[in-house]
Amino acid sequence: MSRRLGLIDHTVDALRTRILSGEWPVGTRIPTEPVLVEMLGVGRNTVREAVHALVHSGLVERRQGSGTYVVGNSELAVTLSREVARTSQSDAMEVRRALQVEAARLAAARCTTDDIAVIQQAHEDREIAYASGDHEQKVAGDLALHMAVVRASGNALLVDLYENLIDAVRDSVVADPEGDAWYDALIAAIVARDPSAAGRETAYYLTALLD
């Protein structure tokens, strides 16, 4: 039994790798069961169980009479989307705030000259987006600036969590024209390499949005 479970796990990993690497992009129909058997050198039942595991994880879905298609390329994004759907928007935003406050602190402590340049460019891009008057561009500008700060934290796990949480709550994010002063203060704190100020400014701003 343990050997069989190991073989299934190995097959799941082989299929998952093709999805996460982009070899099988979202929207792609994966090869049929007989082709997968030949490709991976395993039995039909092993392939069937491996594909079932990926269906359960949310990476692929079966379409009656058509085949099995890739519908996601991040199991974390799928998991977070499910959890966000089951919880309140305020709970999700509180988690986002916690991640963003720590990211701001770490960015101020660790950012490189290149990181600062990226953040400042994102700030300029946000101003252009707001000048356009287009709501979607405004939201995208806000989120891009947030992501620039998070990436400057230098913590790969925090970046991954934040990126996928933002994907899950993106539809609820609203453009905030009142945030200009806060963005200026946050960037000034990061440039000054002042983690306390960066964290404090972020906590103040996001708490105000929640109230």
Side-chain angles (χ1 to χ4, degrees):
M1 176 65 74
S2 61
R3 181 178 180 280
R4 174 160 174 72
L5 287 176
L7 189 58
I8 293 170
D9 290 341
H10 178 77
T11 305
V12 170
D13 286 341
L15 297 176
R16 182 189 290 116
T17 296
R18 285 172 166 80
I19 294 170
L20 301 186
S21 69
E23 180 180 343
W24 294 343
V26 173
T28 300
R29 185 177 66 181
I30 70 172
T32 61
E33 197 172 273
V35 173
L36 290 175
V37 167
E38 184 175 350
M39 177 189 298
L40 302 174
V42 296
R44 199 165 191 136
N45 286 339
T46 299
V47 166
R48 189 172 295 127
E49 291 184 41
V51 171
H52 179 73
L54 293 181
V55 169
H56 182 72
S57 74
L59 291 182
V60 303
E61 70 175 14
R62 292 190 179 95
R63 298 176 186 172
Q64 190 66 34
S66 179
T68 301
Y69 290 79
V70 178
V71 292
N73 56 15
S74 169
E75 288 171 307
L76 179 57
V78 172
T79 300
L80 284 175
S81 293
R82 287 173 177 166
E83 292 303 316
V84 168
R86 285 200 290 260
T87 191
S88 68
Q89 196 60 51
S90 62
D91 282 353
M93 293 301 288
E94 284 173 356
V95 173
R96 176 189 166 195
R97 176 180 59 185
L99 294 175
Q100 216 166 312
V101 168
E102 183 60 17
R105 291 180 62 259
L106 291 175
R110 299 174 176 176
C111 66
T112 65
T113 301
D114 287 345
D115 289 331
I116 290 175
V118 170
I119 290 170
Q120 291 174 330
Q121 183 61 57
H123 191 201
E124 293 177 14
D125 292 343
R126 176 188 179 274
E127 292 177 342
I128 293 171
Y130 269 73
S132 75
D134 182 84
H135 174 74
E136 291 300 325
Q137 288 189 43
K138 290 178 183 180
V139 171
D142 278 348
L143 294 182
L145 181 49
H146 290 313
M147 278 309 315
V149 173
V150 173
R151 290 189 180 112
S153 72
N155 185 312
L157 179 57
L158 193 157
V159 171
D160 199 25
L161 287 170
Y162 187 82
E163 283 182 334
N164 285 289
L165 181 63
I166 281 297
D167 283 343
V169 301
R170 184 179 299 273
D171 289 344
S172 69
V173 176
V174 295
D176 179 26
E178 303 302 321
D180 292 352
W182 169 72
Y183 284 113
D184 291 339
L186 171 61
I187 293 171
I190 292 173
V191 171
R193 301 186 186 281
D194 186 339
S196 295
R200 183 173 62 250
E201 291 292 343
T202 303
Y204 175 78
Y205 173 70
L206 291 177
T207 298
L209 288 183
L210 277 166
D211 291 342

